[in-house]
Amino acid sequence: MSFARVILRPRFISIIAYTIGAICVQAASSGSSPSAITYPRIGAIPSINSPEVQAWLKEIDLSGSPLIGLNHGVPPDCPAKIDSSVCYWTCQGCAEDDVVACPNPNVWGLTFDDGPTEVTTSLLKVLHKENVKATFFLIGGNVVQFPEVVKAELEQGHHLASHTWSHHTLTTLTNEQIVAEMKWTEKAIEDATGYRVKYMRPPYGDVDNHVRFVLKKLGYIIVDWTGDAFDTDDWKIPMKQANVSSVTTHFKKSAATYNANKSLSKKGFISLEHDLSVETVRVAKELIPYGTSHGLIIQSIPNCLHDATPYAAMNGVVKGVNGSHSTTGSSGMNTGAQSQKGKNDMVTSTSVSTSAGASRQHFLGHALMLSPTILALGPIVVAILAL
Ligand SMILES: *[C@@H]1O[C@H](CO)[C@@H](O)[C@H](O)[C@H]1NC(C)=O
Ligand SMILES: *[C@@H]1O[C@H](CO)[C@@H](O)[C@H](O)[C@H]1NC(C)=O
Ligand SMILES: [Zn+2]
């Protein structure tokens, strides 16, 4: 099959699905309730001209933003020459002070991106059975379609974080568009749960110092992952570019290398998985007991970083996990005596080896992968509305 056909077909279908989803969400939210919220169109970069975004833009000072040109394309082309001051993870493997690992040895930071989806509930059952907590990097446009699933994630002790509204590559967006992507997602999660997120993962790991400037102004902590070794590439399964066995074999190899190498295992690692399909859930179902039986301690990101305040303050009050309120730094998290260390423990790295960057291959497949997901969501929303 020609490359163009592979690309164009899902794209075209996804535009229809996005539109159906958007119409449905807007119809649902602008119905009888006077306090109804109209969210931006699902899968699209939110307009910066809406009253909401204009109000958010008034709250932050974006002056002093580094003068870095916007990238183009999905994936963005790597410029022939990039100044080191750009610190572009995808093309330079540069992570600045993004979180790329867990500080303590044998700790596995467990993360799932791109949800919630129709398979998230079955993943929650797996995590419950294995008694482990994870961080979920949520797409805002999905949160408004499955708010109850997001609530369940929180209630079961998992950690919620942002993965933007529309899953676009942030290095191609303006400062104002990045604000719109982040604040709408923040609002969607807050509307669903009452919690304000403070951690985020850039879609495709596509982040440079222009993007970091805006995210930091918004108070976000950026979380990448521990390089290609712990990028499971599970999203390739729905794309038919991998299978459960090839994905789990890759991870087990990486874990064995990690365990055998004293220099690598001086600190923990962060893996990248997705709650996207029955198969990606099956990957988690196999890898979690594998990790536990090989001496790995599985934790959410704030837990592995000893961050006792995994959410942002709202009206001066910081909430811990499971609804425990905290203004003093103690919370429902089982970080014990280490809970006061907070951000100082964050793993930082100015120059991760190139293998630590988000590979361009990762990018392309991942971009295509999102479309079938959205496609699957459209009819579900239609079905719900038809009730
Ligand atoms: C899974 O993928 C691997 C590597 O591409 C391949 O060797 C293997 O035959 C595949 N297994 C199945 C069950 O398709
Ligand atoms: C252990 O890992 C380090 C860092 O990646 C590497 O430089 C070194 O060669 C590895 N050692 C062995 C014995 O594989
Ligand atoms: Zn993603």
Side-chain angles (χ1 to χ4, degrees):
M1 201 189 299
S2 82
F3 189 59
R5 271 169 75 193
V6 175
I7 290 208
L8 288 175
R9 270 185 55 211
R11 275 239 175 119
F12 175 68
I13 293 165
S14 82
I15 288 165
I16 296 169
Y18 280 153
T19 310
I20 292 170
I23 291 166
C24 293
V25 166
Q26 264 158 22
S29 62
S30 61
S32 48
S33 162
S35 60
I37 305 149
T38 304
Y39 292 104
R41 197 154 64 81
I42 290 164
I45 302 161
S47 163
I48 64 166
N49 298 319
S50 68
E52 291 91 343
V53 176
Q54 285 297 312
W56 288 324
L57 286 170
K58 282 207 184 81
E59 286 168 16
I60 61 165
D61 176 13
L62 292 171
S63 62
S65 165
L67 295 171
I68 295 171
L70 300 187
N71 288 326
H72 297 280
V74 178
D77 296 321
C78 281
K81 243 184 103 181
I82 325 172
D83 194 86
S84 62
S85 66
V86 174
C87 192
Y88 187 13
W89 202 45
T90 307
C91 296
Q92 295 174 299
C94 175
E96 192 72 32
D97 53 358
D98 302 350
V99 178
V100 297
C102 290
N104 291 14
N106 300 315
V107 174
W108 170 6
L110 183 64
T111 73
F112 295 94
D113 290 12
D114 297 1
T117 70
E118 67 275 21
V119 302
T120 303
T121 302
S122 68
L123 175 62
L124 286 177
K125 284 189 189 131
V126 171
L127 301 181
H128 177 76
K129 184 169 170 286
E130 298 298 334
N131 194 24
V132 295
K133 309 297 180 213
T135 290
F136 285 93
F137 291 97
L138 306 167
I139 295 177
N142 289 2
V143 170
V144 296
Q145 296 179 75
F146 299 97
E148 293 306 317
V149 176
V150 177
K151 246 172 142 167
E153 290 175 337
L154 182 80
E155 281 162 8
Q156 292 176 34
H158 301 294
H159 173 239
L160 309 179
S162 173
H163 199 42
T164 76
W165 177 263
S166 71
H167 207 273
H168 274 77
T169 47
L170 295 182
T171 67
T172 66
L173 304 189
T174 64
N175 291 350
E176 290 76 15
Q177 286 175 316
I178 296 170
V179 170
E181 286 275 344
M182 296 308 298
K183 293 301 284 188
W184 273 117
T185 305
E186 198 175 290
K187 177 169 169 48
I189 297 171
E190 204 172 309
D191 289 344
T193 66
Y195 280 68
R196 188 173 295 172
V197 291
K198 78 172 196 190
Y199 286 86
M200 73 82 61
R201 173 171 286 155
Y204 318 99
D206 185 53
V207 61
D208 65 11
N209 276 347
H210 136 244
V211 175
R212 288 187 186 97
F213 174 87
V214 182
L215 293 174
K216 283 176 187 176
K217 283 280 176 183
L218 292 169
Y220 278 95
I221 298 170
I222 302 162
V223 183
D224 306 326
W225 56 89
T226 314
D228 289 346
F230 293 105
D231 179 352
T232 62
D233 277 343
D234 60 346
W235 55 266
K236 286 184 179 173
I237 305 173
M239 299 299 300
K240 310 283 177 222
Q241 295 168 5
N243 55 52
V244 172
S245 156
S246 66
V247 166
T248 54
T249 302
H250 170 74
F251 179 91
K252 288 174 186 178
K253 243 187 187 159
S254 297
T257 305
Y258 170 86
N259 272 333
N261 186 323
K262 286 207 169 57
S263 129
L264 282 179
S265 52
K266 255 189 243 158
K267 57 186 180 188
F269 61 84
I270 295 171
S271 67
L272 170 58
E273 293 179 64
H274 296 83
D275 42 330
L276 272 178
S277 73
V278 172
E279 289 85 3
T280 69
V281 174
R282 207 176 296 149
V283 167
K285 193 175 176 178
E286 181 172 339
L287 292 184
I288 291 166
Y290 175 87
T292 307
S293 68
H294 285 74
L296 295 169
I297 301 151
I298 299 175
Q299 293 184 335
S300 69
I301 296 305
N303 241 337
C304 99
L305 298 175
H306 315 302
D307 181 355
T309 55
Y311 296 97
M314 291 168 68
N315 306 318
V317 178
V318 179
K319 290 180 181 178
V321 292
N322 278 335
S324 64
H325 293 242
S326 163
T327 46
T328 61
S330 76
S331 80
M333 300 181 63
N334 55 355
T335 48
Q338 293 168 337
S339 67
Q340 299 298 327
K341 287 193 194 167
K343 281 191 188 178
N344 297 337
D345 273 356
M346 223 138 60
V347 174
T348 62
S349 164
T350 43
S351 172
V352 179
S353 72
T354 36
S355 70
S359 73
R360 289 176 55 75
Q361 195 198 2
H362 173 104
F363 240 117
L364 184 57
H366 196 149
L368 294 173
M369 166 275 300
L370 210 63
S371 303
T373 310
I374 302 290
L375 173 63
L377 302 183
I380 291 171
V381 177
V382 174
I384 290 167
L385 275 179
L387 289 177

